[in-house]
Amino acid sequence: MYVILEWTRVDLGILLGAQLQLPPLQNRRFVTLRECTVRLIKMAAARLVAGTGSVKLPPVTFVTGNAKKLEEVKVILGNSIPFQSLKLDLPELQGDPEDIAKEKARLAANQVKGPVLVEDTCLCFNALKGLPDLRILHHSYIHVYALLLVILWIHSKWFLQKLGHEGLNNMLMAYEDKSAYAMCIFSFAIGPNSEPITFVGKTAGRIVPARGPNDFGWDPVFQPDGYELTYAEMPKEEKNKISHRSRALALVKSHFAEAGYAFDT
Ligand SMILES: O=P(O)(O)OP(=O)(O)OP(=O)(O)OC[C@H]1O[C@@H](n2cnc3c(O)ncnc32)[C@H](O)[C@@H]1O
Ligand SMILES: [Mg+2]
């Protein structure tokens, strides 16, 4: 039976963790008793196997073909997780965002033959009713698609390249609801044969006519809630404080801290 525990720093998990000399499970408000026990046992077992009190890993490889992503990841992670980067053009997969991220991690781990981190990012519009067919969208916009309730996510380079910033705005022309969210999913695979795990970060905002430098994807058309500036207009440090990417990476960092990985240098 699952028992829901309110997760505080003085609860059962912390007490168990302290007994086992394990780091606390961070950033979790609720956790099942079963999940807590399984995690603690897994971490303890991994450390016993490693024989050193921590799990030893070769350096993590962050695989991306996008230099702008890499810039942000470097700044956000700082020295918290030692990693190297590798530019691989992985296929632009379609489907459920978490599945895409996991598949990317599998493909990357198979090539790297070691621990990898990948990410998949998408911009999701809340208003569009119906999946657009790009060819029709280009000519007569959205009239044909008024009936189905759908969240459209724009997660491929190809989509943005085809439509441009104006095209993204045009898609929402007939709708009052310009709300959207940016979503980033990191996936970590410890090696080629391990099941990848995912970490999701989201930032809510809306789609606006393009403003600011045009050097990173859809940044000029996304204005996060609570701000008068688009991502592109914000100083980088400001974007990194509230971005979908930094929120997902906060979870990645917590995971690494909980697992207590140590890295070969
Ligand atoms: O090799 P990967 O990591 O897949 O790099 P990519 O450029 O293909 O990246 P995605 O598939 O995740 O992203 C799809 C599109 O979203 C854009 N994008 C990703 N993160 C963004 C961000 O923080 N702000 C604006 N655009 C972003 C990116 O430039 C692509 O055009
Ligand atoms: Mg991609």
Side-chain angles (χ1 to χ4, degrees):
M1 193 182 87
Y2 281 17
V3 179
I4 306 292
L5 295 173
E6 174 111 28
W7 195 251
T8 69
R9 289 197 161 268
V10 285
D11 65 13
L12 178 64
I14 300 295
L15 290 174
L16 269 175
Q19 289 303 309
L20 293 167
Q21 296 193 320
L22 296 170
L25 296 170
Q26 291 165 348
N27 280 350
R28 295 294 300 269
R29 192 161 163 68
F30 295 102
V31 67
T32 64
L33 182 58
R34 191 181 143 199
E35 188 186 352
C36 162
T37 315
V38 167
R39 270 186 177 225
L40 289 168
I41 290 171
K42 271 190 185 166
M43 288 196 286
R47 284 169 189 215
L48 283 176
V49 170
T52 58
S54 61
V55 182
K56 277 245 167 189
L57 288 184
V60 175
T61 304
F62 176 52
V63 174
T64 183
N66 188 315
K68 284 288 170 185
K69 270 188 192 180
L70 178 60
E71 255 175 44
E72 289 190 5
V73 170
K74 274 186 181 159
V75 173
I76 296 166
L77 282 184
N79 295 324
S80 59
I81 300 175
F83 76 97
Q84 61 202 15
S85 64
L86 179 65
K87 186 176 183 311
L88 281 182
D89 258 324
L90 297 169
E92 290 293 313
L93 306 159
Q94 303 292 320
D96 173 77
E98 287 210 44
D99 292 343
I100 291 176
K102 282 186 177 179
E103 191 52 26
K104 265 175 132 172
R106 280 188 205 101
L107 292 168
N110 280 339
Q111 294 202 37
V112 171
K113 313 247 179 288
V116 292
L117 196 57
V118 300
E119 66 128 277
D120 197 66
T121 299
C122 54
L123 182 62
C124 314
F125 295 1
N126 295 321
L128 282 188
K129 297 173 181 179
L131 273 173
D133 173 314
L134 278 179
R135 280 164 302 144
I136 300 174
L137 263 175
H138 240 34
H139 300 302
S140 62
Y141 302 112
I142 31 195
H143 308 296
V144 196
Y145 300 101
L147 294 175
L148 299 169
L149 177 66
V150 152
I151 290 174
L152 163 72
W153 39 275
I154 295 164
H155 83 270
S156 73
K157 286 186 259 202
W158 172 80
F159 205 109
L160 184 58
Q161 276 162 14
K162 282 268 178 210
L163 287 186
H165 294 138
E166 213 183 319
L168 293 185
N169 271 273
N170 286 341
M171 288 173 73
L172 289 177
M173 212 156 56
Y175 297 93
E176 255 179 50
D177 183 3
K178 313 285 185 201
S179 68
Y181 60 93
M183 177 160 75
C184 185
I185 306 183
F186 274 84
S187 185
F188 173 64
I190 215 161
N193 298 314
S194 68
E195 179 58 15
I197 46 175
T198 54
F199 309 87
V200 183
K202 287 184 188 176
T203 299
R206 64 197 178 95
I207 304 300
V208 297
R211 298 195 316 261
N214 185 16
D215 61 353
F216 190 7
W218 37 260
D219 269 0
V221 296
F222 184 72
Q223 181 170 315
D225 287 348
Y227 287 81
E228 293 303 317
L229 302 176
T230 62
Y231 263 176
E233 290 175 306
M234 288 179 168
K236 277 285 175 201
E237 315 83 68
E238 202 60 31
K239 178 186 172 190
N240 288 342
K241 268 188 217 155
I242 56 141
S243 78
H244 50 305
R245 182 160 290 109
S246 64
R247 287 180 177 155
L249 279 174
L251 300 178
V252 175
K253 283 192 229 178
S254 293
H255 171 74
F256 274 68
E258 282 167 16
Y261 298 133
F263 293 93
D264 297 333
T265 44

